[in-house]
Amino acid sequence: MATGSGAGRASVRPVDRPRGNSTARSKSVAPRRPPSPARARPAAHHDDAADMCRVRVALRIRPKNAGELAQGADFDTCVELQPECKKLKLKKNNWASESYQFDEIFGENSSQKRIYEVVAKPVVESVLEGYNGTVMAYGQTGTGKTYTVGQLGKDDPSERGIMVRALEHIFSSMSLETDSVAVSYLQLYLESVQDLLAPEKTNIPIVEDPKTGEVSLPGAAIVEIKDLEHVFQLLQIGETNRRAANTKMNTESSRSHAILIIHLHRSLKIKEENTASIPSDAQYTLPGDLPLVLKSKLLIVDLAGSERIDKSGSEGHMIEEAKFINLSLSSLGKCINALAENSLHIPTRDSKLTRMLRDSFGGTARTSLVVTIGPSARHYSETSSTVLFGQRAMKIVNTIRLKEEVDYETLYKKVENEVDRLTSEMERQQKLGHREKMQMEKRLKESETFLNDLKMTSSMQIENLEKEKHQFEYAIKRLMQELEEKEGKNNVLSEKIVHLEASLNEKKQQQLESFSTTQTLAETTKAHEKKVGELLRQLEEERSRSASMKGHFNVLEQQLSDAQSSAQFQEDTARELKRELSKITKTFTSQVHSLEEKISQLISEKELMYKELKSTQAKVQDEARHRQSLEAEVLRLKRPKTDNCAEESKTLCGMVRTGSGLGSEAFMSKSGNLKETLASQRGTISKIFEEVGLPNVLALLKSEELEVQIHAVKVVANLAAEDINQEKIVEEGGLDALLSLLETSENTTIHRATAGAIANLAMNVSNQALIMNKGGARLLANVASKTDDPQTMRMVAGAIANLCGNEKWHVMLKQDGGIKALLGMFQTGHNDVIAQIARGLANFAKCESRVISQGHKKGRSLLIEDGVLSWIMANSTMFPPSTRRHIELAFCHLAQNVENSRDIIITGGIKELLRISRESPREDARNLAKKALNSNPAFLKEIQ
């Protein structure tokens, strides 16, 4: 019942090791060796470690009930407690008694609080540290199991049982801000797992993880709880929905096993060694600490009490309930016995209860068991059985493991949020940079436009100034020419004046010389003076005009100078604008470079954020390469030697599961080396299946290479041995591919492995319909008629035997030659083949007898029509003892049909019936023979 699980980074905390002698009875018991690999599989992680922890068992005796108190002095007790020595003396009578020692003894007056602190509190504290745990109550009905475990005590806190106190303890020890606790409340009623919190969910499947071995219940309601009030509500709902009834032993007798599953998730952080290599940059956003989560599970189990019908007074449907309760408790007892005796085979699959408690006994959980008994000597046998159950449980040692994992979900969300934040920041920066770039480009365009306008305006102004300059130069030249002309005229006038003055002086000289001409000369002089005055006035006018022209020329020169200085200023302004534009361009370029650097930095940070994801991709690629190497190894596997083929056949034969267990007797008697070989092969095949995938494996069935086909069909046959894989194989077309191989292939090894796979699939009722409708029985009969290999015949006989267990297909099975094929394979003389033939005939006869007894069918048996009765009588002395019991059952079921009486009498079957009724080692066969002899008038007449 052991499972090993290691998820994430598993580590181990110190745990309490068992002290002292683990034996409980006063007799000495040899020390127990560690659990075998079949019960304690190692965890997947290579760093996993584990500690051994024995199952702790306490005993509690209930007070006398009203009926026992009414007996007064006549009450006889069979129990004597010695709490100080932790011993119990069980008295069979006044002179015979036995002493047993437990981890703790609780008397009639022990409080609920003390029982919790001793039995359950260490387990709850271990669960809070990250380990799985189980607390379970076992005992006879009416001895106080439900009171000990499931009492709510809402009005009186002192009456609270282990369930409520455990949840109180958990709430007080964890933070609901970072931790979570959820519960599932289930009951096992009539071998059906039902949800007490959601009654509409019935027949919930039990699934075992093929990789870790962990048991889960998909479909069961898991309710997260936040406070104690919510706990009371859920437990009250579960208690209301749980099955209970009134018996003579208990007025509220539980009719189902109740299991409260508490799921704990606790968060913590540890520093990784490789975080020291990460740079401590303020902008670096990767977390230095990895989030870890402790995932643990606590099972609190309130088993229904074992009971005897004569004492409990059960009747009607309650008898059926009692049968299933006792059956599941018996399966649990068998598992406890096997674990206590270090058996190599633990029958955990016999009951759903043992499958659900797979981890609690011999597994990885810390387990405490409280066994409850009553004081009355009237129930001595039940009390003794309960005490011995506790004693055997104390010999079991569990390998507890810490359930500590890296919280990749939280880490992924954190990294995803950081990536989103950085991406949004990068997009924001890009948008901001784009916006700034657009603004700078807009300003640059505006500046260029302004500069172009300025250049155009300046050039136009310069052209206008140049034109005005040329006009002024031309006007100055013209004025200078006019001035020169005026100066030339003035020079001519000056010369004339000088000449006139000379002439005047000459005339004055002549006046002196000639008085007579004085008056004439005076008049002439006046005329000349007048003319000179006019000339002088004209000269002054010309001089004033020349002065005004010079002033106008100076004004024009000043205007030209101003125009030249204005053009120089505009050129300076243009150069200044060019310098400012150059500065703006440089600033914009530097900002663009800065934005590009920021973008590259963000990209590098993003690459760092995805570093871990890339490493994960590398791991996936490594696993893919490993898968390819495994596929290559499958192709290289060859078994040329006859010894290897024989061992392979025996191993493949072990894969065929049978309802009655007949097919596995020879295999279970083989050496331990063969079992280890089978386990290693199944482990290898399971690993190949996980890495390659079912569709790829089924595709190899159609390969053109014979060796590839052989290994592929072996893998499918091994996968079909597990219930969880059968539906997937059929859905992916595996059954069609197997039937096609059976029809087309001529290879004996392929026939053997294919028949084994079909035999495993035929254990399922729905698969039987598909096999029969697709002609599977006809193909199996054809293979049986062609092959001489005993192991192939055994596979074929096993498949047909499984199909014989469904009365719906009996007619088609007979028509397809399945019955005759079984009889034909008897010629091999191989014991394993004969065992499968006998099992198939027994299944056929039993189902046919049941249908006839229910009135659904009449007439002579189909087996007799195919000569099975004559075959049984002719070979009755040739069957080995292990096979004869099934032949006897088949014969007795045929004798139940009155229509078969004549054939049985003719073949001498009366003597065989008489022999079976007296000498058969099986009680059921003897009873069937007696029933047939006593109820059939024809048989009674023949006996007389």
Side-chain angles (χ1 to χ4, degrees):
M1 298 177 69
T3 59
S5 62
R9 294 156 37 95
S11 59
V12 177
R13 304 282 176 86
V15 297
D16 297 335
R17 302 181 183 273
R19 299 183 178 88
N21 188 6
S22 63
T23 60
R25 299 183 64 167
S26 57
K27 302 175 183 179
S28 61
V29 180
R32 185 186 186 282
R33 63 180 176 84
S36 66
R39 299 192 308 276
R41 293 177 291 206
H45 202 280
H46 66 277
D47 290 335
D48 280 0
D51 286 306
M52 314 303 290
C53 180
R54 179 173 62 79
V55 174
R56 312 288 292 180
V57 181
L59 181 138
R60 184 181 195 182
I61 184 170
R62 65 161 173 79
K64 298 176 184 178
N65 57 29
E68 292 167 349
L69 290 173
Q71 296 179 15
D74 295 332
F75 177 74
D76 186 13
T77 183
C78 64
V79 177
E80 180 181 339
L81 301 182
Q82 297 175 352
E84 64 281 355
C85 301
K86 299 182 180 179
K87 286 186 177 181
L88 164 77
K89 183 179 288 186
L90 190 61
K91 297 184 293 183
K92 188 173 184 180
N93 47 47
N94 292 333
W95 57 87
S97 65
E98 286 188 343
S99 182
Y100 302 91
Q101 184 171 356
F102 289 88
D103 293 311
E104 191 65 42
I105 298 290
F106 298 106
E108 298 178 355
N109 299 322
S110 297
S111 65
Q112 294 278 74
K113 180 179 180 182
R114 170 165 169 73
I115 290 173
Y116 171 77
E117 291 179 347
V118 174
V119 175
K121 186 176 181 180
V123 178
V124 175
E125 290 177 346
S126 178
V127 172
L128 287 169
E129 293 176 359
Y131 300 91
N132 287 345
T134 301
V135 179
M136 188 170 73
Y138 177 91
Q140 182 189 7
T141 182
T143 54
K145 298 183 298 302
T146 303
Y147 175 78
T148 301
V149 174
Q151 184 71 12
L152 294 181
K154 194 170 183 181
D155 298 327
D156 186 0
S158 65
E159 294 291 314
R160 290 175 180 174
I162 290 175
M163 288 183 180
V164 178
R165 293 180 184 272
L167 287 166
E168 281 182 322
H169 188 174
I170 289 171
F171 278 128
S172 64
S173 303
M174 60 188 296
S175 172
L176 293 179
E177 295 179 357
T178 58
D179 307 333
S180 66
V181 56
V183 298
S184 296
Y185 202 6
L186 310 170
Q187 71 171 352
L188 181 61
Y189 178 68
L190 299 180
E191 276 300 295
S192 173
V193 181
Q194 302 176 1
D195 199 326
L196 292 175
L197 301 181
E200 69 277 1
K201 296 182 179 180
T202 59
N203 202 17
I204 297 172
I206 302 174
V207 178
E208 180 181 352
D209 190 334
K211 192 171 184 180
T212 64
E214 232 178 274
V215 175
S216 61
L217 297 160
I222 301 177
V223 182
E224 187 170 352
I225 54 178
K226 295 297 184 181
D227 52 37
L228 198 59
E229 187 63 30
H230 193 192
V231 171
F232 280 120
Q233 293 176 3
L234 295 178
L235 293 181
Q236 186 65 50
I237 293 171
E239 184 178 349
T240 304
N241 292 327
R242 188 179 179 186
R243 299 279 183 164
N246 184 9
T247 67
K248 292 180 180 180
M249 300 289 292
N250 189 359
T251 56
E252 293 184 2
S253 176
S254 300
R255 314 307 292 170
S256 66
H257 307 298
I259 302 175
L260 178 67
I261 305 175
I262 303 174
H263 304 272
L264 268 71
H265 283 205
R266 305 196 68 190
S267 300
L268 66 157
K269 286 189 177 182
I270 62 170
K271 191 78 171 179
E272 277 198 337
E273 294 177 359
N274 58 0
T275 55
S277 63
I278 299 176
S280 58
D281 191 355
Q283 296 180 351
Y284 194 79
T285 57
L286 281 175
D289 294 340
L290 288 178
L292 296 183
V293 60
L294 294 177
K295 293 184 177 180
S296 54
K297 181 170 62 176
L298 174 62
L299 271 67
I300 302 178
V301 185
D302 178 16
L303 295 175
S306 60
E307 63 180 54
R308 292 187 177 179
I309 305 301
D310 55 346
K311 291 184 178 181
S312 64
S314 299
E315 57 185 15
H317 185 64
M318 292 172 60
I319 295 178
E320 189 73 11
E321 294 174 340
K323 181 180 74 173
F324 278 99
I325 290 171
N326 292 337
L327 181 62
S328 60
L329 293 177
S330 175
S331 299
L332 178 61
K334 289 179 182 178
C335 292
I336 297 297
N337 291 343
L339 288 167
E341 296 171 2
N342 294 326
S343 174
L344 293 178
H345 174 64
I346 311 301
T348 57
R349 302 186 69 84
D350 289 356
S351 170
K352 290 187 177 181
L353 176 63
T354 54
R355 291 181 66 190
M356 294 174 72
L357 298 178
R358 183 184 182 93
D359 198 39
S360 302
F361 293 99
T364 62
R366 183 189 291 275
T367 301
S368 286
L369 172 66
V370 54
V371 294
T372 60
I373 62 174
S376 176
R378 177 171 173 262
H379 306 300
Y380 171 81
S381 60
E382 290 87 346
T383 302
S384 175
S385 175
T386 301
V387 170
L388 291 177
F389 179 89
Q391 291 293 291
R392 287 189 288 269
M394 289 177 66
K395 297 179 182 180
I396 298 173
V397 177
N398 291 349
T399 305
I400 66 172
R401 300 182 186 278
L402 184 67
K403 302 286 289 181
E404 184 177 82
E405 303 175 3
V406 175
D407 192 356
Y408 286 107
E409 184 177 354
T410 303
L411 180 60
Y412 175 77
K413 289 181 180 178
K414 187 174 182 180
V415 172
E416 191 178 47
N417 293 335
E418 188 66 20
V419 170
D420 291 341
R421 187 188 67 81
L422 289 175
T423 304
S424 61
E425 179 65 20
M426 184 177 69
E427 291 176 352
R428 190 183 67 81
Q429 292 290 343
Q430 287 178 347
K431 289 180 180 179
L432 183 61
H434 182 68
R435 190 181 300 113
E436 291 180 353
K437 181 179 179 182
M438 294 296 292
Q439 291 178 354
M440 294 301 294
E441 287 179 352
K442 184 178 180 181
R443 290 178 60 187
L444 180 61
K445 289 180 180 179
E446 291 176 354
S447 300
E448 288 177 350
T449 305
F450 176 74
L451 180 61
N452 291 331
D453 293 342
L454 186 61
K455 283 182 179 179
M456 291 178 64
T457 305
S458 300
S459 61
M460 291 175 63
Q461 290 179 353
I462 290 171
E463 288 178 357
N464 293 331
L465 289 174
E466 288 290 338
K467 290 179 180 179
E468 290 180 359
K469 178 181 178 183
H470 289 310
Q471 291 176 358
F472 285 135
E473 288 178 351
Y474 177 75
I476 289 171
K477 287 180 180 179
R478 189 173 57 79
L479 292 174
M480 291 295 291
Q481 289 176 357
E482 290 180 357
L483 182 62
E484 288 176 355
E485 289 177 357
K486 293 290 184 184
E487 287 181 350
K489 289 180 179 181
N490 290 333
N491 290 332
V492 171
L493 291 175
S494 296
E495 288 177 356
K496 286 181 178 182
I497 291 170
V498 172
H499 182 69
L500 289 173
E501 287 179 352
S503 296
L504 180 61
N505 291 329
E506 287 178 358
K507 286 180 177 181
K508 284 180 177 180
Q509 189 70 26
Q510 287 176 1
Q511 285 178 357
L512 291 176
E513 291 178 358
S514 177
F515 177 76
S516 56
T517 59
T518 302
Q519 187 175 358
T520 307
L521 289 172
E523 292 177 359
T524 305
T525 300
K526 288 181 181 177
H528 281 294
E529 285 178 358
K530 185 178 179 181
K531 196 173 183 178
V532 168
E534 289 179 0
L535 289 173
L536 287 175
R537 184 176 55 80
Q538 290 179 0
L539 180 60
E540 287 296 330
E541 287 178 0
E542 289 295 332
R543 285 180 176 174
S544 63
R545 286 179 62 189
S546 176
S548 64
M549 290 296 291
K550 285 183 179 180
H552 184 62
F553 178 73
N554 291 333
V555 171
L556 290 176
E557 283 185 344
Q558 185 66 34
Q559 289 179 355
L560 179 60
S561 176
D562 292 340
Q564 289 176 348
S565 61
S566 175
Q568 185 66 31
F569 174 73
Q570 289 177 354
E571 289 178 358
D572 293 341
T573 303
R575 284 194 294 271
E576 185 67 27
L577 289 173
K578 287 182 180 180
R579 284 194 296 272
E580 184 178 356
L581 180 62
S582 176
K583 289 181 182 180
I584 292 172
T585 304
K586 288 180 181 179
T587 304
F588 174 74
T589 304
S590 64
Q591 289 179 353
V592 170
H593 287 314
S594 175
L595 289 173
E596 290 176 351
E597 290 175 358
K598 289 182 180 179
I599 291 170
S600 63
Q601 185 177 3
L602 290 172
I603 293 172
S604 63
E605 290 178 357
K606 182 178 180 181
E607 291 175 352
L608 288 174
M609 292 298 295
Y610 286 106
K611 183 178 180 181
E612 185 174 355
L613 296 178
K614 289 181 180 178
S615 64
T616 305
Q617 291 176 353
K619 290 181 181 178
V620 172
Q621 293 175 357
D622 292 340
E623 291 178 358
R625 288 193 290 271
H626 183 57
R627 183 189 68 187
Q628 293 175 357
S629 66
L630 287 174
E631 291 176 352
E633 184 179 356
V634 169
L635 296 176
R636 290 195 303 270
L637 288 175
K638 295 182 179 179
R639 301 176 181 272
K641 296 183 181 180
T642 307
D643 296 340
N644 291 341
C645 291
E647 181 178 279
E648 174 193 309
S649 301
K650 293 176 182 178
T651 304
L652 188 60
C653 293
M655 295 186 303
V656 181
R657 303 173 300 157
T658 61
S660 62
L662 235 181
S664 61
E665 286 183 358
F667 181 74
M668 291 303 292
S669 64
K670 303 297 181 181
S671 64
N673 292 333
L674 188 58
K675 287 190 175 185
E676 293 178 0
T677 302
L678 177 59
S680 64
Q681 287 182 0
R682 284 188 176 177
T684 303
I685 289 170
S686 177
K687 187 174 181 180
I688 292 173
F689 170 62
E690 290 174 3
E691 297 184 354
V692 176
L694 181 60
N696 295 331
V697 173
L698 295 177
L700 294 176
L701 294 176
K702 301 178 182 179
S703 175
E704 296 179 357
E705 296 184 23
L706 182 60
E707 291 295 327
V708 175
Q709 278 189 336
I710 290 173
H711 289 293
V713 76
K714 288 177 183 177
V715 171
V716 175
N718 275 280
L719 294 174
E722 299 293 336
D723 294 337
I724 193 172
N725 298 327
Q726 292 186 0
E727 184 178 352
K728 297 178 182 177
I729 291 173
V730 174
E731 288 178 355
E732 294 292 339
L735 178 59
D736 294 336
L738 291 172
L739 294 174
S740 176
L741 274 180
L742 205 62
E743 183 176 12
T744 59
S745 178
E746 299 295 331
N747 184 271
T748 302
T749 304
I750 289 181
H751 284 169
R752 180 169 61 251
T754 304
I758 293 173
N760 288 334
L761 292 175
M763 291 297 295
N764 187 289
V765 176
S766 60
N767 293 341
Q768 291 175 356
L770 293 173
I771 293 170
M772 293 300 298
N773 290 328
K774 293 178 184 292
R778 176 181 54 78
L779 295 176
L780 291 169
N782 291 340
V783 172
S785 65
K786 294 178 182 178
T787 184
D788 295 326
D789 179 44
Q791 299 302 335
T792 303
M793 287 188 178
R794 183 188 172 187
M795 294 294 104
V796 173
I800 296 176
N802 289 340
L803 294 173
C804 287
N806 192 335
E807 65 274 8
K808 294 181 180 179
W809 309 110
H810 281 180
V811 175
M812 185 181 292
L813 191 62
K814 178 180 178 297
Q815 293 173 352
D816 290 345
I819 305 302
K820 291 184 178 179
L822 284 178
L823 297 180
M825 287 186 282
F826 177 75
Q827 298 176 359
T828 61
H830 196 279
N831 289 340
D832 291 340
V833 177
I834 296 173
Q836 293 296 335
I837 295 171
R839 183 174 68 85
L841 296 178
N843 287 344
F844 196 109
K846 181 180 178 180
C847 293
E848 189 178 59
S849 175
R850 182 175 63 247
V851 174
I852 292 173
S853 65
Q854 293 173 353
H856 300 311
K857 179 183 176 184
K858 294 182 180 180
R860 192 160 165 254
S861 173
L862 297 175
L863 292 176
I864 294 179
E865 293 177 4
D866 274 359
V868 172
L869 181 59
S870 302
W871 177 82
I872 291 175
M873 298 306 300
N875 302 285
S876 60
T877 59
M878 300 175 61
F879 298 119
S882 60
T883 305
R884 188 175 301 156
R885 55 178 180 167
H886 284 278
I887 295 297
E888 290 175 353
L889 282 175
F891 183 77
C892 291
H893 281 298
L894 288 174
Q896 304 302 312
N897 186 359
V898 178
E899 301 291 337
N900 300 334
S901 302
R902 182 173 176 277
D903 298 283
I904 293 174
I905 293 171
I906 291 173
T907 56
I910 300 298
K911 293 181 181 180
E912 183 66 9
L913 282 174
L914 290 171
R915 186 195 65 78
I916 293 172
S917 67
R918 297 167 185 167
E919 301 176 4
S920 176
R922 289 180 61 103
E923 183 179 358
D924 52 351
R926 294 198 303 272
N927 293 336
L928 283 172
K930 292 175 183 178
K931 179 181 177 181
L933 291 170
N934 295 330
S935 62
N936 194 319
F939 292 166
L940 291 173
K941 184 177 180 180
E942 286 293 321
I943 293 172
Q944 293 172 358

